[in-house]
Amino acid sequence: MGHITKLFEEANKDNINTLKINSAYRSYDLQNTLFNNKLAQQKKIYSDNKEAYNKASQVVAIPGTSEHQAGIALDLSTKSLNYTLVEDFSNTPEGNWLDDNCWKFGFVVRYPKSKTNITTIIYEPWHIRFIALPHSEIMFKNKLCLEEYIDFIKNTKLYSFKAFDNKDYKIFYYNRLDPNTHGIDIQKSKISDITKLNTDEFIITVSF
């Protein structure tokens, strides 16, 4: 059973039954169209093209950088808002439930209100991204956005955590170029996930 299916089933059990997916996977062409439409709107407001571009990119991800294109993000809304994507979603029972519970299924609200200066994206209470446990739980309980969480793991290098699924996890930061991060015996460990940050940097999750 998929993680989003489990999320919807649990929501229904809690009488949250009008959640609906507004947007999921997007092709490059669709993302490009959405961005260009937003850019055209901003150019009517800002005479400086660079400023218009920056403002547009805070609302719609630049084509090639959207989490929707990677298939790891969903936009959700509710019947009371006619399934539109507006900030008022955070004031609905559905929005509150999603904010409080989506981490249990491996998701996080990707662009929190208090983190816009870090994410450089407007507050989007409707946009959730799949991170997987235990990362979603750690982020939720420590009130971290993804950028902060990655920095936290990189600085900590090894983080041990017992998640609500009763599993023990060790989360390692590994850098090919930094011998101080090479202490994990990958062959003998039970690796549950490897996240590639770039060519040389990885976050390795081990469960016990």
Side-chain angles (χ1 to χ4, degrees):
M1 184 184 299
H3 298 280
I4 192 64
T5 300
K6 291 180 181 178
L7 184 151
F8 274 100
E9 288 188 349
E10 200 62 32
N12 287 332
K13 290 178 183 178
D14 291 339
N15 294 317
I16 301 296
N17 48 32
T18 64
L19 275 176
K20 184 178 179 180
I21 297 174
N22 173 292
S23 178
Y25 170 76
R26 296 177 193 159
S27 66
Y28 180 92
D29 288 343
L30 175 56
Q31 189 67 30
N32 193 49
T33 297
L34 294 173
F35 181 80
N36 286 335
N37 288 343
K38 181 57 65 175
L39 180 59
Q41 292 176 7
Q42 296 303 314
K43 284 182 176 179
K44 294 178 181 179
I45 302 172
Y46 302 97
S47 57
D48 183 82
N49 286 338
K50 184 177 180 180
E51 186 173 9
Y53 187 90
N54 289 337
K55 292 293 184 181
S57 67
Q58 293 173 16
V59 181
V60 179
I62 297 168
T65 69
S66 172
E67 295 179 340
H68 287 282
Q69 284 180 252
I72 55 176
L74 296 164
D75 291 337
L76 304 178
S77 191
T78 186
K79 185 177 181 180
S80 64
L81 298 174
N82 294 317
Y83 301 108
T84 55
L85 302 179
V86 291
E87 191 172 314
D88 278 349
F89 179 64
S90 65
N91 298 318
T92 66
E94 294 80 8
N96 286 324
W97 185 93
L98 192 69
D99 189 46
D100 289 338
N101 293 279
C102 70
W103 65 269
K104 299 174 185 176
F105 310 94
F107 295 91
V108 294
V109 176
R110 177 65 179 92
Y111 303 115
K113 190 171 188 177
S114 61
K115 308 291 184 178
T116 55
N117 62 316
I118 300 173
T119 64
T120 70
I121 301 294
I122 63 167
Y123 175 40
E124 295 189 351
W126 60 81
H127 180 106
I128 60 173
R129 169 179 169 155
F130 186 72
I131 299 292
L133 285 165
H135 312 291
S136 59
E137 183 176 359
I138 298 169
M139 287 176 61
F140 176 80
K141 292 185 174 178
N142 291 279
K143 295 180 169 52
L144 301 174
C145 65
L146 182 59
E147 290 81 1
E148 291 175 309
Y149 178 64
I150 290 173
D151 285 343
F152 169 70
I153 295 301
K154 289 172 71 171
N155 291 330
T156 306
K157 291 187 171 59
L158 167 60
Y159 185 70
S160 300
F161 185 75
K162 190 176 188 68
F164 93 112
D165 61 4
N166 210 34
K167 291 183 180 179
D168 291 306
Y169 292 89
K170 289 187 183 296
I171 304 164
F172 300 83
Y173 167 65
Y174 178 84
N175 187 328
R176 297 182 196 271
L177 306 179
D178 182 359
N180 292 323
T181 68
H182 297 178
I184 178 175
D185 187 342
I186 296 177
Q187 298 302 319
K188 295 180 180 179
S189 297
K190 185 179 179 183
I191 296 175
S192 58
D193 181 68
I194 299 178
T195 300
K196 184 177 181 179
L197 302 179
N198 55 49
T199 303
D200 298 309
E201 296 180 291
F202 302 82
I203 291 177
I204 301 172
T205 306
V206 177
S207 61
F208 299 90

